[in-house]
Amino acid sequence: MMRKSACLALALCLSLAPGAGQAADGPATIAESTPSGWPGTVEGLWHWALPTTPNGLYPRQSWHATGSAPNGDIYVAGMDHRTNAALYRIEAATGLLRYVGDARSASEAADNWRPGETAQKFHTRPLWHRGKIYVATMDRSDLDAAYLERRGFHWYAYDPATDRFTDLSAKEPGGTAVPHGNLVSLASDPVNDVIYGAGVPTGEIYRYDVASGRTQDLGRPTIYGTPYVYTGRVMWVDGRGRLYFTAMQPEDPARLDHIMYYDPQSGFGEEKDWKLQEGMALETGQCTEGGRRCVFADDRGHVYRFDQDAHSWTYHGQVQTGKTAGWGGVEFWLFALSPGGDSVYLATSTSPKTSEDTALYEFDLATGRTRTICVLADLDPAFAGRHVHTGYDAWDRQGRFYFASFGYPDRPVIVSRIDPDRLKAALARRAEQGHGAAIAR
């Protein structure tokens, strides 16, 4: 099986689970059905459940689809990996979670949804760009030619000022951004008012001009060689407008074992000295200072830092969990760079193992040391049966990060908020009390 079949195999398992494709009985508790969510069992933890949409989409998955706005609002996409995908918002002012739109409804409103069409996922992290949130569809993620049998991807935007979620591609030729293909990651260039997208399965780079509402296919690096590549799930634009991205060839990892870029002036290029461990494409990350400084990770827990001013790429080491990283072991799809920029919070996911094998860690960038914070299933009952934890660069203005969790049984995706300082303090108190009780006995 090719590398990266983990998420595909999990998607298949979920699609075959009892109740797949139909609305389940709903949230397990009254608390899970409320927009305000419910408190975790440990201080510093809060949860929400993604509700079923008005047109019947029951969100059972959320792949890398958690993002934030400058005011602290959090956006999360939920999907069923079969028919449709929706966008939700947690309002910073009220803490309430609500549905804001879905692909099918927005496209039907624009008369741009064909019979039998599907939008399996908003796999792209919800992207803040000049006052709006953007997502795009991925309707097929396999690395083969079957994508040619389906319409190309749609761009969608949510405008918080008007509370409207719209299909932007309805105004493009043919009603899609391109005739065929999907998007898996986005990056914003606010200076030039364009959004970049990385495609699946070919690895094409696309550029959406917001003012004109048109998508341009920029092509892809000639070094790819083969028709299909695994496209990195995160990319970024630095302070000078250069786009950086990664890809991987499972059959030949050394071929694409470095950072590539697209420069609006000179086109595609390579930073051959900016190496990727084991040839692994980047999966998660977070930038500061307008893209001048960033920290990234792949799904095996290798952590890197980008510095524009020094024009440097630094490898900081690998998160140590005591478990095998990769397919059949643990994978890292949750990433939150601490506000001070000195450490990273990461969590493991398992496919297809159980939630008891997933844990939250803190990785110190200066020392390369890993600290285990907790096993998630032990932390709170909400994580039981949910063994996939995803999301990156989703912080509010109070220093709390957000992520989505899903898995078995067939229950709604939950979104969790962690205040890391309060959580660590609460766990320390719990440990002290447990130690005291042991001595008393």
Side-chain angles (χ1 to χ4, degrees):
M1 184 178 291
M2 289 176 59
R3 164 71 178 65
K4 293 298 178 184
S5 294
C7 58
L8 304 180
L10 174 64
L12 177 61
C13 290
L14 291 176
S15 69
L16 297 177
Q22 10 180 339
D25 292 335
T29 67
I30 294 176
E32 289 187 4
S33 68
T34 62
S36 58
W38 70 100
T41 56
V42 179
E43 185 180 353
L45 180 64
W46 196 271
H47 307 290
W48 297 261
L50 297 188
T52 300
T53 67
N55 62 357
L57 168 65
Y58 175 54
R60 296 181 296 122
Q61 300 180 33
S62 180
W63 286 104
H64 288 36
T66 307
S68 54
N71 70 343
D73 285 354
I74 302 298
Y75 292 87
V76 184
M79 58 219 71
D80 62 5
H81 209 290
R82 297 177 64 252
T83 64
N84 196 11
L87 185 67
Y88 301 83
R89 175 188 183 187
I90 301 174
E91 297 178 345
T94 64
L96 300 179
L97 180 147
R98 66 183 181 90
Y99 155 88
V100 300
D102 65 85
R104 178 169 185 167
S105 294
S107 294
E108 287 179 338
D111 195 24
N112 192 33
W113 190 262
R114 294 184 180 175
E117 185 168 6
T118 56
Q120 289 187 0
K121 292 181 279 187
F122 289 148
H123 201 305
T124 55
R125 174 185 175 272
L127 179 73
W128 174 265
H129 177 86
R130 297 180 69 163
K132 297 180 181 180
I133 290 289
Y134 292 81
V135 291
T137 54
M138 173 187 276
D139 198 46
R140 198 173 187 284
S141 50
D142 290 348
L143 303 184
D144 57 36
Y147 78 101
L148 295 170
E149 301 170 2
R150 310 203 186 184
R151 292 183 84 192
F153 68 87
H154 298 233
W155 293 101
Y156 296 88
Y158 173 67
D159 186 346
T162 61
D163 195 26
R164 292 188 59 201
F165 184 75
T166 56
D167 180 351
L168 301 175
S169 294
K171 297 181 179 179
E172 297 200 75
T176 57
V178 294
H180 307 284
N182 310 274
L183 280 196
V184 73
S185 56
L186 303 179
S188 167
D189 180 353
V191 174
N192 295 302
D193 198 18
V194 299
I195 298 171
Y196 291 100
V200 170
T202 61
E204 304 284 323
I205 298 296
Y206 304 100
R207 180 170 58 194
Y208 179 72
D209 185 280
V210 176
S212 68
R214 291 292 183 267
T215 302
Q216 179 184 2
D217 184 346
L218 300 174
R220 63 183 204 155
T222 56
I223 191 177
Y224 282 179
T226 59
Y228 312 118
V229 297
Y230 177 84
T231 306
R233 270 44 179 168
V234 62
M235 58 184 185
W236 75 103
V237 176
D238 70 13
R240 296 166 297 192
R242 175 177 284 187
L243 172 73
Y244 294 91
F245 57 94
T246 61
M248 189 187 77
Q249 289 187 4
E251 301 87 351
D252 183 13
R255 185 180 184 91
L256 304 178
D257 66 349
H258 54 275
I259 303 295
M260 291 165 283
Y261 65 83
Y262 173 80
D263 189 293
Q265 305 303 318
S266 60
F268 289 105
E270 304 170 58
E271 294 285 0
K272 294 185 177 181
D273 293 333
W274 294 7
K275 293 295 186 179
L276 301 170
Q277 300 295 310
E278 303 178 54
M280 303 292 296
L282 298 177
E283 200 82 9
T284 56
Q286 186 172 328
C287 290
T288 60
E289 301 179 50
R292 291 175 55 208
R293 288 169 179 77
C294 312
V295 179
F296 300 100
D298 62 25
D299 66 12
R300 294 190 182 177
H302 298 112
V303 180
Y304 309 87
R305 186 192 297 272
F306 163 79
D307 188 307
Q308 175 184 304
D309 295 343
H311 194 69
S312 65
W313 181 256
T314 305
Y315 174 55
H316 284 274
Q318 185 175 18
V319 181
Q320 298 300 311
T321 67
K323 301 178 183 293
T324 301
W327 170 244
V330 297
E331 300 185 76
F332 294 86
W333 296 323
L334 185 162
F335 180 103
L337 177 65
S338 67
D342 55 352
S343 65
V344 180
Y345 298 100
L346 306 99
T348 48
S349 294
T350 59
S351 302
K353 293 187 178 181
T354 66
S355 57
E356 286 70 25
D357 293 308
T358 68
L360 179 67
Y361 301 89
E362 184 174 11
F363 181 82
D364 189 291
L365 291 166
T367 65
R369 294 177 180 171
T370 303
R371 172 188 178 187
T372 302
I373 296 177
C374 59
V375 173
L376 288 170
D378 293 342
L379 180 66
D380 193 282
F383 294 120
R386 292 178 167 105
H387 59 283
V388 181
H389 311 285
T390 75
Y392 62 89
D393 191 8
W395 290 86
D396 63 20
R397 300 178 74 176
Q398 286 72 49
R400 303 171 297 193
F401 66 88
Y402 297 68
F403 60 97
S405 301
F406 60 93
Y408 295 108
D410 189 22
R411 295 168 62 192
V413 173
I414 65 166
V415 180
S416 299
R417 180 184 73 200
I418 286 181
D419 182 320
D421 291 337
R422 291 178 62 198
L423 177 65
K424 287 187 286 187
L427 292 176
R429 289 194 297 271
R430 176 188 285 184
E432 290 174 359
Q433 293 166 359
H435 179 64
I439 292 176
R441 287 195 299 270

